[in-house]
């Protein structure tokens, strides 16, 4: 499931501290509802889109193997190439979004691509092209839409409530991941083996999500009284900004020591006689914890300091690793692990974007988020490979211990780099 | 909000080549209130159309449920005595994929009348294998969480042992003495990209239902050096006559090799390239397998081949369609395999027969049959 691919990375950077007269260009604080309607509509768009994608994810292995007679080799063959192309497309989309202030249009293109891919998978059975190309297009669509969407969230929220705004969005998003598999189940119960119905209904959910985006989400103006040009070079030059660079470094480093969810579940299973067939329930348990905690922890981040909550999130991750090292983990440990993992995402995923939003000028907001997420996905990809190699050399237990020590050290280094005491990121 | 919008507009105009001199903002920037009624109406219409289309499609799909279809092949419930008689004579056992209430059930036909009436057994499997009065049955339990399990059954189809499977059933084989089962399942999610599959191939002791370990725990060598790379996968076991030695496929990325080894010594070594899903002939001299063609920029296809283990001679069989199956030997001259029926719109698969020497043409052996197993084979 995709929270496992969620970057624990970073964004942003302006050399001066944000001040009340808004160097980053957000609206001045005013009283009103905790989050703007725009954030809620973006949340609803993500909710429907996630129902759409997660209902397909739930049945995809069955469909590919039994209906398309897919070879497992067909997947994964070009993972490196896919990642590179996907990263380039993400940054290119971001530059376009920033240059013209067309966040909604670029995000819409990403959402639309993913919607079309649902029908593409349906057609893949009789098509000459491999189904993996549709899955790739789906992934690109996801990459392209995320940065302008997050930029729009940041531009629609009060600077003091950025953490809450991202929390609200992530809660909607995660709710879709819980509902999607249920929808798939009820369709298959009504019409057994009707995979085509899953894809059609998934497409319709995606269409409703796209409808909310097109009809109700409003673009925010990117224009500002500065001469920052939204170009490839401009996007990369963001890295010269100290605060932004610190976020990218800290986010990528943390990402390197964040064991992927799926691998955490495998480790847990290895330590117990836990039945693997219940694996699909674990992401749901994690998602429920994330869903419940996203808003409160986002709000807490706004109150006590975002970098503090972000760093605290990695202490929770350390807790997850310690549970994996417990003498004989059982049901209680499993529930605690899922709860902590959800809390870890609630402390880090949206909060990171909120931090980035305080350091990237609004003219380059999408580009900055895209650079950060691309760096993070590189780091996530590396983690998967490196983890596999280490655990083969050292065994699971020792590797978890090494990672636990690394995360502990990273908490100290991260707190220093992000200058937690100074609350650089609001 | 309106205050900010007003302030921002001049800058916007500067940037836009269209430069709207009139204060007419792009539609997307219109205050929500102005056209809210129209938008809500459009959204309600969208939702109504989507709900209607979704419900209609699911109802339509429901009619295509294979269990609700009209049977095209004659299947019948038989008495336990009749079933036992069929099982003790040379027979073909398979998963029925013909439409109707028996869809998914395991059925049996006598080898002397494969097109005749099919006897329905009490069990439902997605992959099945039998030998010496025992069988292994792998099933998918579709639910909110889809789970997979397997069981060992006896000649009366009574379940002796059950065990959970870590993923989607793909291949199953029983050793000729019936003491060991080998099975391959697809596991997703234990790699860095969650969309990547790997395979897991393990052995089960049929007398206890205990797992004897999976091939990744065996000592496997390639040209003298141990195979330990993280991307190694094993699949498609076929047992030799002694029920200890076996053949299987080792894949590392796109590099596919045939391995042979022994369950007792928990070791194996590579012997040949490009052999997937091997199946050893009853006389132990040849291996039928699927040979990969294409798959880089086009959909993957496999051609059936037979390789002679004594001479290394390799021939392509007369079947030119893609076959993704671990084949079954009907006798020393003919192999059986299943293919999805073209454009049937359902999941009907047919079992074909083709000569093992590259001659002749494929012919339908049993319609609506998948996972064929020849049982009570006459001594060769």
């Amino acid at each position: 499931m995709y929270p496992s691919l969620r970057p624990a990375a970073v964004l942003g950077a302006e050399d001066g501290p944000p001040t009340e007269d808004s160097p980053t260009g957000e609206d001045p604080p005013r009283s009103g509802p905790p989050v703007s309607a725009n954030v809620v509509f973006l949340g609803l768009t993500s909710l429907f889109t996630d129902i759409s994608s997660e209902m397909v994810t739930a049945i995809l292995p069955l469909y590919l193997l039994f209906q398309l007679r897919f070879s497992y080799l067909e997947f994964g063959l070009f993972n490196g190439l896919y990642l590179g192309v996907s990263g380039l497309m993400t940054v290119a989309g971001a530059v376009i979004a920033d240059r013209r202030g067309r966040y909604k249009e670029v995000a819409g293109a990403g959402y639309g691509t993913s919607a079309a891919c649902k029908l593409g998978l349906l057609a893949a059975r009789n098509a000459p092209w491999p189904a993996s190309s549709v899955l790739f297009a789906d992934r690109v669509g996801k990459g392209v839409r995320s940065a302008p969407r997050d930029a729009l969230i940041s531009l629609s929220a009060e600077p003091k409530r950025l953490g809450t705004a991202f929390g609200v969005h992530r809660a909607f998003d995660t709710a879709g991941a819980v509902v999607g598999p249920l929808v798939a189940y009820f369709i298959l119960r009504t019409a057994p083996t009707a995979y085509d119905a899953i894809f059609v209904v998934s497409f319709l959910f995606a269409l409703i999500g796209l409808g909310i985006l097109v009809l109700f989400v409003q673009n925010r103006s990117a224009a500002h009284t500065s001469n920052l040009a939204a170009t490839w070079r401009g996007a990369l030059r963001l890295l010269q900004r100290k605060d932004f660079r610190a976020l990218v470094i800290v986010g990528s480093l943390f990402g390197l020591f964040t064991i992927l969810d799926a691998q955490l579940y495998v480790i847990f299973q290895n330590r117990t006689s836990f039945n693997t067939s219940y694996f699909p329930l674990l992401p749901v348990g994690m998602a429920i914890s994330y869903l419940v905690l996203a808003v409160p922890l986002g709000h807490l981040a706004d109150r006590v300091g975002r970098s503090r909550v972000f760093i605290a999130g990695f202490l929770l991750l350390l807790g997850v690793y310690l549970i994996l090292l417990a003498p004989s983990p059982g049901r209680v440990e499993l529930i605690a692990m899922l709860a902590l993992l959800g809390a870890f995402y609630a402390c880090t995923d949206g909060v990171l974007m909120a931090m980035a939003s305080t350091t990237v000028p609004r003219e380059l907001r999408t580009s900055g988020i895209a650079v950060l997420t691309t760096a993070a996905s590189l780091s996530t990809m590396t983690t998967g490979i490196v983890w596999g190699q280490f655990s083969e050399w050292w065994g699971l237990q020792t590797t978890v211990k090494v990672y636990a020590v690394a995360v502990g050290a990273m908490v100290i280094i991260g707190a220093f780099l992000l200058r937690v005491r100074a609350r650089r990121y609001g | 909000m309106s205050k900010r919008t007003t302030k921002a507009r001049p800058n916007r105009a500067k940037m836009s080549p269209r430069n709207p001199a009139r204060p007419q903002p792009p539609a997307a920037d219109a205050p929500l209130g102005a056209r809210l009624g129209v938008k809500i109406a459009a959204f309600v219409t969208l939702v109504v159309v989507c709900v209607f289309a979704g419900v209609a499609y699911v109802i339509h799909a429901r009619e295509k449920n294979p269990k609700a279809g009209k049977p095209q092949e004659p299947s019948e419930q038989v008495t336990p005595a009749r079933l036992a008689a069929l099982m003790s004579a040379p027979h073909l056992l398979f998963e029925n994929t013909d439409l109707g209430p028996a869809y998914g059930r395991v059925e049996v036909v006598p080898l002397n009348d494969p097109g005749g009436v099919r006897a329905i057994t009490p069990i439902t499997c997605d992959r099945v294998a039998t030998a010496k009065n025992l069988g292994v049955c792998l099933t998918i339990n579709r639910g909110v969480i889809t789970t997979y399990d397997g069981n060992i059954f006896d000649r009366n189809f009574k379940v002796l042992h059950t065990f959970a499977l870590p993923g989607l059933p793909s291949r199953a084989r029983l050793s000729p003495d019936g003491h060991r089962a080998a099975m391959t399942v697809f596991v997703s999610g234990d790699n860095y990209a969650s969309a990547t599959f790997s395979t897991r191939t393990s052995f089960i002791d049929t007398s206890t239902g205990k797992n004897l370990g999976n091939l990744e725990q065996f000592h496997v060598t390639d040209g003298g050096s141990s195979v330990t790379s993280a991307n190694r996968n094993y699949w498609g076991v076929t047992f030799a006559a002694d029920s200890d030695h076996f053949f299987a496929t080792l894949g590392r990325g796109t590099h596919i090799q045939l391995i042979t080894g022994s369950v007792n010594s928990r070791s194996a070594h590579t012997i040949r390239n490009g052999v997937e899903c091997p199946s050893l002939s009853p006389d132990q001299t040849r291996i039928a397998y699927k040979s990969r063609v294409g798959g880089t920029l086009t959909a993957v296809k496999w051609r059936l081949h037979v390789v002679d283990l004594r001479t290394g001679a390799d021939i392509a069989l007369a079947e030119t369609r893609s076959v993704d199956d671990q084949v079954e030997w009907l006798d020393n001259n003919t192999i059986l395999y299943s293919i999805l029926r073209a454009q049937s719109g359902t999941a009907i698969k047919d079992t074909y027969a083709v000569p093992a020497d590259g001659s002749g043409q494929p012919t339908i052996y049993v319609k609506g049959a998948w996972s064929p197993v020849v049982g009570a084979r006459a001594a060769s």
Side-chain angles (χ1 to χ4, degrees):
Chain A
M1 196 167 112
Y2 86 65
S4 59
L5 298 176
R6 211 157 251 166
V10 170
L11 250 225
E14 192 142 309
D15 280 331
T19 58
E20 279 306 288
D21 60 355
S22 193
T24 57
E26 280 83 4
D27 297 344
R30 64 203 138 78
S31 58
V35 293
S36 74
N38 228 19
V39 172
V40 173
F41 285 131
L42 284 166
L44 286 169
T45 300
S46 291
L47 169 72
F48 282 98
T49 305
D50 238 43
I51 292 175
S52 161
S53 60
E54 292 301 325
M55 63 187 286
V56 168
T57 305
I59 57 99
L60 201 58
L62 280 173
Y63 177 73
L64 293 174
L65 290 164
F66 284 92
Q67 303 290 306
L68 298 184
R69 311 303 305 170
F70 208 77
S71 155
Y72 75 96
L73 282 173
E74 196 174 338
F75 264 136
L77 207 51
F78 294 116
N79 257 325
L81 178 69
Y82 282 3
L83 193 79
V85 173
S86 177
L88 284 179
M89 299 273 291
T90 303
V91 178
V95 170
I96 293 168
D98 277 339
R99 192 174 297 170
R100 303 246 182 251
R102 297 216 165 128
Y103 311 104
K104 187 174 136 174
E105 287 80 355
V106 174
Y111 282 110
T113 304
S114 292
C117 287
K118 303 304 178 297
L119 294 183
L121 273 177
L122 182 58
R125 187 160 161 176
N126 298 315
W129 27 264
S132 49
S133 60
V134 183
L135 296 169
F136 172 55
D138 198 359
R139 222 186 289 180
V140 168
K142 191 183 176 71
V144 165
R145 77 195 182 216
S146 301
R149 179 203 63 209
D150 282 349
L152 208 41
I153 292 170
S154 75
L155 296 174
S156 305
E158 295 173 39
K160 284 188 167 171
R161 288 176 170 170
L162 278 169
T164 313
F166 277 103
V168 167
H169 174 267
R170 297 307 195 255
F172 274 114
D173 190 74
T174 311
V178 177
V179 175
L182 286 175
V183 176
Y185 167 68
F186 283 112
I187 291 174
L188 282 185
R189 226 178 66 153
T190 310
T193 75
Y195 294 102
D196 52 342
I198 302 263
F199 291 109
V200 169
V201 173
S202 166
F203 170 72
L204 296 172
F205 269 110
L207 216 53
I208 291 175
L210 193 59
I212 295 170
L213 179 84
V214 170
L215 291 170
F216 300 118
V217 171
Q218 294 180 280
N219 260 335
R220 289 287 186 254
S221 172
H224 196 249
T225 52
S226 87
N227 53 2
L228 284 167
T231 59
W232 283 85
R233 187 176 298 181
L236 290 176
R237 278 174 62 174
L238 282 172
L239 291 169
Q240 291 172 358
R241 290 164 177 260
K242 203 171 162 191
D243 284 353
F244 180 68
R245 193 171 60 228
L247 272 184
V248 174
I249 291 170
V250 170
S252 302
L253 280 178
F254 268 128
L256 284 180
F257 299 107
T258 306
I259 305 171
L260 305 189
D261 295 7
Q263 291 169 335
L264 289 175
Y265 304 148
V266 171
I267 301 164
F268 193 88
Q269 193 268 334
N270 261 287
R271 303 236 35 221
T272 61
S273 53
F274 186 75
N275 185 344
T276 13
S277 49
Y278 290 92
F279 260 35
L281 259 194
L282 303 188
V284 175
M286 189 282 285
I288 289 170
S289 162
Y290 183 13
L291 162 67
V292 169
L293 294 171
V295 179
L297 288 176
H299 182 69
L300 185 72
D302 290 341
R303 294 279 304 259
V304 305
R306 291 174 194 130
S307 53
R308 292 174 189 178
V309 169
F310 180 79
I311 295 291
F314 284 89
L315 285 174
L316 299 178
L317 183 66
L318 184 57
V320 170
Y321 293 177
L322 293 179
I323 287 174
L324 289 174
L325 294 169
S328 54
R331 195 164 297 174
V332 176
E333 283 81 1
L334 178 64
I335 292 168
M337 181 182 89
L338 297 177
L340 281 180
L341 196 57
F344 159 68
Y345 280 117
C347 283
T348 53
D349 181 35
V351 171
L352 180 65
M353 293 303 148
M355 287 160 78
S357 303
T358 63
T359 60
V360 179
R362 62 186 298 156
E363 295 87 341
L364 290 170
R365 187 65 51 83
T366 323
S367 311
I369 289 175
V371 167
L372 177 57
T373 49
T374 303
S377 58
L378 271 174
S379 152
T380 305
M381 171 102 175
T382 312
T383 309
I385 299 167
V386 168
W387 163 263
Q389 195 57 59
F390 282 176
S391 55
E392 199 161 303
W393 288 341
W394 304 334
L396 288 178
Q397 284 290 93
T398 310
T399 316
V400 173
K401 280 179 197 159
V402 170
Y403 274 56
V405 171
V407 166
M410 277 306 301
V411 165
I412 296 164
I413 297 167
F416 173 73
L417 284 176
L418 296 181
R419 286 176 284 177
V420 162
R421 287 176 58 140
R423 291 191 61 172
R424 296 282 296 179
Y425 303 90
Chain B
M1 179 193 288
S2 59
K3 191 179 159 197
R4 187 190 58 78
T5 312
T6 315
K7 198 173 86 181
R9 208 169 283 144
N11 290 323
R12 229 193 132 69
K14 227 181 284 170
M15 290 177 63
S16 165
R18 288 177 290 140
N19 191 3
R22 292 164 294 158
Q24 187 184 18
D29 275 345
L32 193 60
R35 305 167 70 190
L36 191 59
V38 179
K39 288 181 172 189
I40 289 176
F43 183 66
V44 169
T45 310
L46 175 69
V47 171
V48 169
V49 169
C50 284
V51 169
F52 182 78
V55 170
Y57 198 93
V58 172
I59 289 172
H60 159 73
R62 189 184 183 137
E63 287 163 7
K64 289 199 308 188
N65 178 1
K67 279 183 189 287
K70 191 167 167 286
Q72 292 159 3
E73 312 304 324
S75 292
E76 66 174 21
Q77 298 283 353
V78 295
T79 61
R82 168 90 186 108
L83 195 55
L86 275 169
M87 291 292 288
S88 54
H91 63 270
L92 190 79
L93 183 121
F94 55 87
E95 183 208 334
N96 176 41
T97 61
D98 183 33
L99 301 180
Y103 182 88
R105 290 285 276 273
V106 171
E107 296 186 335
V108 185
V109 287
L111 281 192
N112 57 22
D113 184 19
V117 177
R118 309 135 75 108
I120 303 174
T121 73
I123 62 170
T124 298
C125 307
D126 289 284
R127 193 87 213 191
V128 63
T130 57
K132 278 277 156 78
N133 300 328
L134 284 175
V136 58
C137 166
L138 309 184
T139 54
I140 303 168
N141 311 303
R142 295 175 168 87
V144 174
I145 348 159
T146 299
T147 60
Y148 316 97
D149 57 39
N151 65 61
I152 305 294
F153 58 87
D154 67 10
R155 61 179 303 160
N156 300 314
F157 299 97
K158 201 181 125 225
V159 171
L160 304 177
H161 310 286
T162 60
F163 42 88
L165 296 175
L168 277 164
S170 171
R171 310 287 180 229
R173 279 291 191 270
L174 232 54
S175 61
D177 64 7
H179 288 166
R180 284 166 176 155
M183 59 208 66
T184 301
V185 301
F186 283 105
V187 183
S188 60
D190 66 357
N191 209 330
Y192 54 86
S194 57
T196 306
F197 290 101
S198 53
T199 58
R200 194 150 303 156
T201 296
S202 43
F203 297 94
I204 297 260
D205 180 336
T206 57
S207 58
T208 60
K210 290 264 161 53
N211 197 320
L212 298 172
N214 75 58
L215 272 174
E216 280 166 50
Q217 297 161 338
F218 280 35
H219 179 63
V220 181
T221 55
D222 177 19
S225 57
S226 290
V227 174
T228 55
S229 66
N231 69 344
R232 70 192 189 279
N233 280 293
Y234 298 96
W235 63 95
V237 167
T238 184
F239 283 100
D242 66 1
S243 294
D244 173 40
H245 287 88
F246 65 89
F247 296 87
T249 305
L250 159 66
R252 284 172 286 181
T254 50
H255 186 40
I256 309 277
Q257 288 171 294
L258 178 66
I259 60 168
T260 184
S262 143
V263 182
N264 289 339
S265 70
R266 293 171 72 85
S267 66
H269 61 273
T270 57
I271 52 171
R272 194 182 171 86
N273 286 340
V275 174
E276 269 189 82
C277 292
S279 177
L280 190 61
S281 62
D283 63 12
Q284 314 282 301
T285 60
R286 288 154 295 157
I287 278 181
Y289 68 98
K290 59 175 197 178
S291 172
R292 191 183 174 83
V293 279
T296 303
L297 294 170
T298 55
V300 188
K301 286 187 164 49
W302 289 275
R303 276 292 303 273
L304 290 182
H305 283 238
V306 168
V307 57
D308 190 313
L309 291 172
R310 298 160 301 185
T311 65
D314 188 298
I315 40 169
L317 302 191
E319 174 60 80
T320 55
R321 291 170 295 181
S322 178
V323 177
D324 180 13
D325 196 5
Q326 183 173 21
V327 307
E328 173 78 354
W329 291 78
L330 176 61
D331 50 41
N332 280 317
N333 308 314
T334 315
I335 62 159
L336 302 175
Y337 53 92
S338 303
I339 293 188
L340 191 69
R341 193 176 293 176
Q343 269 136 20
S344 65
T346 60
I348 303 176
K349 295 159 195 142
D350 298 312
T351 290
Y352 285 80
V354 72
D357 58 3
S359 69
Q361 287 298 318
T363 51
I364 287 206
Y365 193 71
V366 181
K367 284 185 176 176
W370 159 251
S371 191
V373 201
V374 178
R377 197 190 290 275
S380 52

